[in-house]
Amino acid sequence: MKILLAASESVPYAKTGGLADVVGALGVELLKQGADASVILPLYRTVRQKFKLKPLSVRFSIRLGPIIETGRIWQAVKTEENLPVYFIENDRFFDRDGLYGNYAGDYLDNASRFIFFSRGVLETVRRLKLSPDVIHCNDWQTGLVPLYMKTLYQRYMGDTASVFTIHNLGYQGRFWHLDMPLLGVGWEHFNMEGIEFYGKINLMKSGIVYSDRLTTVSPGYSREILTEKHGFELHGILRKRRADLSGILNGIDTAYWNPATDSCLPANYSIDNMAGKQTCKAALQRECGFRPLKKKPLIGLVTRLSEQKGTDLVVAVAEKLLKKHEVQMVVLGSGDESIEQEMLKLMNRYKGTLYVKIGFDEDFAHRIYSGSDMFLMPSRYEPCGLGQMIAMRYGTVPVARKTGGLADTVIENGSRQNGYLFTGFTARSFFAAVDRALKIFLRRPAYWKMVVRNGMSIDFSWSGRVQQYLKLYEKTLSEIRLINDP
Ligand code: ADP
């Protein structure tokens, strides 16, 4: 089976969040399990700077309204498992510092950028004669691919099926209707059953409407998005496609996220020999300017600083915890400028017990996952969440809100307990959950050890998940073939 994964980010090339982890790991694991997988991404500036690439002698032109834009296809030279990774070059669109925007906000031409990329995906399929069985698209940046497969590129598609995965419904790629001529398809698609959304173009909706199958990144989230509360105004259209929608829980790359071999850590450890975790904790305490006290609970956070992640609750609870000097806390994050400022202000007030680093720092993230005792994820909503899984793998206990993928992975009661949960989105219930964790950490070390061990024993690898994707691809493909050749 030939699968092309189309996305706007993938590790190790470009990452702003979990989407990148998922695409990279899924590609490699599909290959390992015998599928013929490849990945296609935009050629961002950082990719060109950091990776060895070769240009393929293929160029293409695309009309975006009155302008002709040209593109070129590149390929990564050395990749894990020899996974073929293609890049779409257009320097006007992708030779920039950010993936989607900069300090001033989203790039104003994001519609053009991702229309171009989506068409570039199909130009690549056509010109390199890739003939994939499935094009697996991810989030709004690739939401037009399924539409193009059924329109502009239909004759090159044969029996190719499209699968569209929603990683986060909160980001939809909504653009004004005057961008319609850039799309290259007729206004007949601009209606309630198509890509129109309250007078605007909605690229996430395009993926939902035109793909053959839909998935989300956890079973819990696949149910939640059908409700008004979590559907971001797309619940109606999602309900119509309920029969084609399923949730497959994300995995993590367990070879990469492995405390026993992780080269970013000052010491390695495993479930059978945890001594190294203490070394990691002491090193993290020093790095953050904290006193290296073994028994002091150290709480970590690695997150996008956005409203979705419940950072307002973090601020509220941190104040309360730090005032009493009960804990040490380290926050690594970037995103919303006002939240960044708020976090930095808090750090000034609690120097010595709170350390905040604004930015994206992969190595520091590893040191936080390993050196902390607890990890906070009080998300307003959470499609899957990788942080809680990575934390558990590193023997760090998550305290999380019971929503979406967090509810699917974190267990608070019984002999399988691996973390702490709260339900209502209030500082009070969040604090109560952290407090429960703290009490056990401080007073019942044997019980804490059980919680840690439970988390570390879970199989978060992609191997089982990939089986689910492969089954879904097979099913979708056989249906498409039946329709095309009854
Ligand atoms: P989301 O994709 O919504 O941001 P996830 O929990 O699914 O959240 O994935 C987040 C991924 O991004 C994890 O791998 C996490 O370690 C990483 N990450 C988030 N913020 C940072 C940061 N500031 N520095 C380094 N890694 C980060």
Side-chain angles (χ1 to χ4, degrees):
M1 159 118 28
K2 256 185 146 177
I3 299 125
L4 177 64
L5 293 167
S8 57
E9 41 186 291
S10 168
V11 289
Y13 305 100
K15 169 169 168 174
T16 67
L19 169 64
D21 294 279
V22 173
V23 174
L26 181 58
V28 169
E29 193 59 38
L30 280 166
L31 268 189
K32 279 189 188 159
Q33 299 202 17
D36 185 353
S38 51
V39 173
I40 184 159
L41 304 165
L43 181 49
Y44 300 112
R45 177 182 295 169
T46 49
V47 178
R48 202 198 286 280
Q49 285 166 346
K50 289 190 195 147
F51 295 90
K52 198 156 180 230
L53 313 172
K54 61 176 181 208
L56 304 183
S57 54
V58 183
R59 290 173 196 270
F60 58 87
S61 302
I62 285 167
R63 176 178 283 283
L64 293 180
I67 296 167
I68 305 276
E69 286 290 345
T70 55
R72 189 172 190 191
I73 307 164
W74 292 67
Q75 191 173 354
V77 168
K78 217 171 157 209
T79 60
E80 198 180 343
E81 300 282 322
N82 293 324
L83 174 73
V85 182
Y86 303 104
F87 297 92
I88 302 293
E89 177 192 64
N90 176 299
D91 284 347
R92 208 167 72 77
F93 288 145
F94 303 123
D95 185 23
R96 303 182 188 183
D97 283 336
L99 268 53
Y100 314 122
N102 56 21
Y103 62 92
D106 287 348
Y107 293 132
L108 296 177
D109 59 351
N110 270 347
S112 300
R113 297 173 78 227
F114 289 101
I115 291 168
F116 180 82
F117 175 61
S118 297
R119 296 224 17 205
V121 168
L122 294 160
E123 287 294 333
T124 306
V125 168
R126 175 184 159 195
R127 288 166 194 273
L128 298 185
K129 298 192 172 47
L130 296 182
S131 51
D133 295 302
V134 177
I135 303 184
H136 184 163
C137 308
N138 296 277
D139 271 353
W140 70 264
Q141 294 88 345
T142 53
L144 287 171
V145 172
L147 166 61
Y148 289 142
M149 287 169 73
K150 289 190 162 57
T151 52
L152 299 180
Y153 294 83
Q154 194 179 25
R155 70 195 136 122
Y156 308 108
M157 285 300 122
D159 284 338
T160 305
S162 59
V163 170
F164 182 70
T165 296
I166 299 165
H167 295 257
N168 192 336
L169 204 56
Y171 301 85
Q172 297 183 358
R174 298 179 186 177
F175 301 100
W176 70 343
H177 66 289
L178 295 179
D179 282 337
M180 250 331 263
L182 304 181
L183 260 64
V185 295
W187 283 92
E188 68 274 17
H189 297 283
F190 190 76
N191 59 54
M192 264 171 66
E193 305 302 318
I195 60 174
E196 188 260 344
F197 177 82
Y198 298 107
K200 290 189 164 184
I201 298 167
N202 185 322
L203 300 192
M204 178 71 96
K205 190 178 174 215
S206 168
I208 294 171
V209 170
Y210 294 100
S211 61
D212 296 316
R213 284 264 164 194
L214 292 168
T215 70
T216 67
V217 288
S218 71
Y221 194 58
S222 76
R223 293 186 293 273
E224 283 180 359
I225 57 175
L226 301 178
T227 65
E228 197 174 344
K229 190 171 167 201
H230 292 286
F232 285 96
E233 301 178 283
L234 288 175
H235 53 285
I237 199 86
L238 282 162
R239 277 189 207 157
K240 280 194 187 163
R241 297 226 51 197
R242 177 184 261 157
D244 299 319
L245 169 69
S246 56
I248 299 178
L249 193 68
N250 280 339
I252 55 173
D253 181 341
T254 46
Y256 177 72
W257 296 109
N258 183 359
T261 53
D262 192 331
S263 58
C264 301
L265 310 189
N268 292 113
Y269 58 93
S270 67
I271 191 164
D272 300 319
N273 182 0
M274 291 291 283
K277 185 158 172 81
Q278 278 308 326
T279 313
C280 292
K281 178 171 175 177
L284 182 62
Q285 286 171 316
R286 279 195 300 277
E287 186 172 357
C288 298
F290 302 159
R291 292 175 66 199
L293 303 171
K294 207 169 152 187
K295 297 234 165 84
K296 193 71 140 176
L298 175 47
I299 299 180
L301 252 125
V302 179
T303 185
R304 275 188 296 116
L305 294 175
S306 77
E307 211 182 82
Q308 180 209 333
K309 299 294 181 180
T311 40
D312 38 351
L313 290 194
V314 173
V315 171
V317 164
E319 284 259 35
K320 214 166 159 183
L321 290 168
L322 294 163
K323 237 179 230 159
K324 293 195 210 160
H325 300 290
E326 267 183 295
V327 303
Q328 297 171 334
M329 215 167 152
V330 48
V331 178
L332 168 64
S334 64
D336 190 319
E337 210 190 325
S338 62
I339 306 175
E340 292 182 357
Q341 291 308 323
E342 204 168 351
M343 288 285 173
L344 289 172
K345 252 194 258 161
L346 203 62
M347 173 162 76
N348 277 335
R349 236 178 295 157
Y350 296 101
K351 264 199 185 124
T353 48
L354 171 66
Y355 179 73
V356 175
K357 178 165 181 182
I358 301 299
F360 198 93
D361 185 337
E362 186 74 18
D363 289 7
F364 191 37
H366 287 240
R367 297 198 292 278
I368 294 176
Y369 285 119
S370 61
S372 306
D373 299 302
M374 291 163 211
F375 189 83
L376 305 184
M377 283 188 81
S379 307
R380 272 192 167 71
Y381 71 94
E382 193 56 78
C384 177
L386 299 178
Q388 81 282 15
M389 295 194 242
I390 301 170
M392 284 191 244
R393 177 121 174 105
Y394 282 72
T396 301
V397 173
V399 181
R401 174 129 187 276
K402 196 171 179 185
T403 181
L406 294 171
D408 286 344
T409 48
V410 181
I411 304 167
E412 176 155 356
N413 46 37
S415 60
R416 288 168 58 224
Q417 180 174 356
N418 58 26
Y420 291 83
L421 286 168
F422 68 103
T423 306
F425 190 80
T426 62
R428 179 194 279 255
S429 29
F430 182 31
F431 183 81
V434 178
D435 201 44
R436 285 198 301 281
L438 282 173
K439 286 200 172 103
I440 298 293
F441 176 80
L442 293 167
R443 298 181 197 162
R444 297 182 59 191
Y447 193 91
W448 185 260
K449 198 170 159 192
M450 176 200 83
V451 178
V452 166
R453 288 178 71 88
N454 281 345
M456 290 184 89
S457 320
I458 299 171
D459 178 8
F460 289 119
S461 73
W462 270 100
S463 48
R465 272 69 154 168
V466 161
Q467 282 298 320
Q468 294 180 51
Y469 275 110
L470 282 168
K471 266 193 208 136
L472 182 93
Y473 298 150
E474 290 283 2
K475 198 168 156 199
T476 313
L477 202 55
S478 58
E479 280 171 11
I480 294 284
R481 296 206 164 134
L482 206 65
I483 292 166
N484 290 354
D485 189 12

